[in-house]
């Protein structure tokens, strides 16, 4: 969806008037539901951010957005037709860069290029499908659910899979996984230790998947969903 970014900034004069480039650092809140600039979309250009929902007096991890994705979809809904007490925010999980885009400017460009608008709708739909999947699988074995959440991040962040190996681009912490799966952290620690013992992941320096095929076997998702990423020379089917 960097095609969207390029399309929105083709005219330098209009881009200066209707967009704003922001640079952010890890743990910085870069967007939220009650923001004073709620007529804008956030388009990610570099880095990774996490979407957090406010539940039971605390912020809980919901999902990730990364390069080519955007936040602020609620701005497509007319306020008089939409009332909710949902509170959410987008918090940087790494250093990065994003583009704030005026809603009308954004929509004018999307209407002018239906193929790009379809890319945006496809992305929103995929996030919705993954949210529904995670909810449906909430009573499944924790080992499966943890594998699901790792594959989900790899897919959304377009993390390269090279020779059956994946290095996640920022600390994929026990706390994030615990918040995402809504289970006590000691259960997460137990599963992660199992995956390390089986040489499926390692956390010595960074969170790394060292056997992507075996991780996929633990998941209820099809690991081939990540084939839009940059693969190494080894075919995952052959690696199996």
């Amino acid at each position: 969806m960097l095609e969207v970014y390029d399309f929105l900034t083709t005219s330098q004069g209009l881009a200066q008037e209707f967009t704003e480039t922001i640079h952010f650092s890890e743990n910085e809140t870069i967007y939220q539901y009650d923001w004073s600039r709620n007529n804008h979309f956030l388009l990610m250009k570099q880095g990774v951010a996490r979407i957090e929902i406010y539940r039971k007096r605390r912020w809980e991890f919901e999902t990730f957005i990364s390069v080519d994705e955007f936040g602020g979809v609620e701005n497509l809904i007319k306020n008089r037709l939409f009332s909710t007490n949902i509170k959410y925010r987008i918090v940087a999980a790494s250093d990065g860069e994003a583009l704030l885009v005026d809603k009308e400017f954004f929509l004018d460009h999307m209407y002018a290029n239906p193929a790009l608008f379809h890319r945006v709708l496809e992305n929103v739909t995929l996030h919705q499908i993954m949210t529904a999947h995670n909810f449906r699988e909430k009573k499944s074995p924790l080992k499966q659910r943890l594998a699901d959440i790792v594959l989900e991040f790899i897919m959304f962040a377009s993390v390269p899979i090279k020779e059956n190996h994946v290095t996640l681009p920022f600390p994929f912490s026990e706390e994030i996984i615990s918040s995402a799966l809504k289970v006590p952290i000691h259960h997460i620690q137990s599963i992660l230790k199992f995956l390390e013992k089986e040489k499926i992941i390692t956390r010595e320096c960074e969170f790394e998947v060292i056997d992507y095929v075996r991780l996929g076997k633990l998941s209820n998702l099809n690991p081939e969903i990540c084939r839009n990423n940059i693969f190494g020379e080894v075919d995952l089917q052959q690696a199996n």
Side-chain angles (χ1 to χ4, degrees), residues 21-235:
T21 298
I22 60 171
H23 300 272
F24 52 82
S25 302
E26 184 178 354
N27 292 322
E28 179 182 350
T29 299
I30 56 179
Y31 194 91
Q32 59 189 37
Y33 73 102
D34 59 351
W35 200 25
S36 60
R37 301 182 67 176
N38 59 8
N39 61 333
H40 282 66
F41 289 98
L42 178 84
L43 179 65
M44 294 287 288
K45 186 181 179 185
Q46 295 176 0
V48 180
R50 58 185 185 268
I51 295 180
E52 299 178 347
I53 306 293
Y54 192 73
R55 298 187 182 97
K56 298 179 180 180
R57 300 183 181 180
R58 66 178 183 179
W59 291 101
E60 296 182 351
F61 169 84
E62 185 68 21
T63 188
F64 291 102
I65 62 170
S66 187
V67 177
D68 298 348
E69 299 193 287
F70 73 103
V73 67
E74 73 278 0
N75 292 324
L76 291 172
I77 303 172
K78 295 181 179 180
N79 290 333
R80 68 177 182 272
L81 300 178
F82 181 67
S83 178
T84 182
N85 59 358
I86 293 176
K87 301 178 182 180
Y88 86 97
R89 65 185 183 184
I90 300 176
V91 181
S94 70
D95 295 347
E97 182 179 329
L99 189 72
L100 294 175
V101 187
D102 177 84
K103 180 177 75 172
E104 298 302 329
F105 182 74
F106 177 86
L107 291 177
D108 285 346
H109 278 68
M110 293 303 97
Y111 293 147
N113 192 322
L116 290 184
F117 208 167
H118 184 268
R119 291 280 303 276
V120 172
L121 293 176
E122 187 178 62
N123 182 266
V124 172
T125 302
L126 183 58
H127 270 282
Q128 180 62 33
I129 289 172
M130 291 305 307
T131 298
H133 169 84
N134 292 336
F135 180 79
R136 185 175 63 250
E137 298 294 323
K138 65 181 181 180
K139 293 185 179 180
S140 297
L142 184 56
K143 197 179 302 180
Q144 174 206 307
R145 296 180 64 214
L146 196 150
D148 285 351
I149 204 73
V150 176
L151 286 180
E152 179 182 336
F153 173 74
I154 291 171
M155 176 180 63
F156 283 134
S158 298
V159 185
I161 303 169
K162 299 180 179 179
E163 299 182 347
N164 203 30
H165 184 279
V166 186
T167 300
L168 301 188
F170 77 101
F172 200 62
S173 68
E174 298 168 351
E175 289 78 12
I176 284 179
I177 301 173
S178 174
S179 178
L181 299 181
K182 313 294 188 296
V183 297
I185 196 168
H186 66 272
H187 293 315
I188 299 300
Q189 292 169 336
S190 176
I191 299 297
L192 291 175
K193 288 178 181 177
F194 166 81
L195 296 177
E196 288 175 313
K197 182 180 178 181
E198 292 295 311
K199 300 188 184 305
I200 296 175
I201 69 166
T202 181
R203 295 183 293 163
E204 291 182 359
C205 298
E206 302 171 285
F207 192 113
E208 298 178 76
V209 178
I210 55 180
D211 195 331
Y212 177 78
V213 169
R214 290 179 64 201
L215 179 71
K217 289 181 178 180
L218 295 175
S219 172
N220 199 32
L221 296 172
N222 181 354
E224 293 299 307
I225 59 177
C226 297
R227 277 199 172 275
N228 61 327
N229 294 315
I230 303 172
F231 287 80
E233 295 181 359
V234 175
D235 188 283

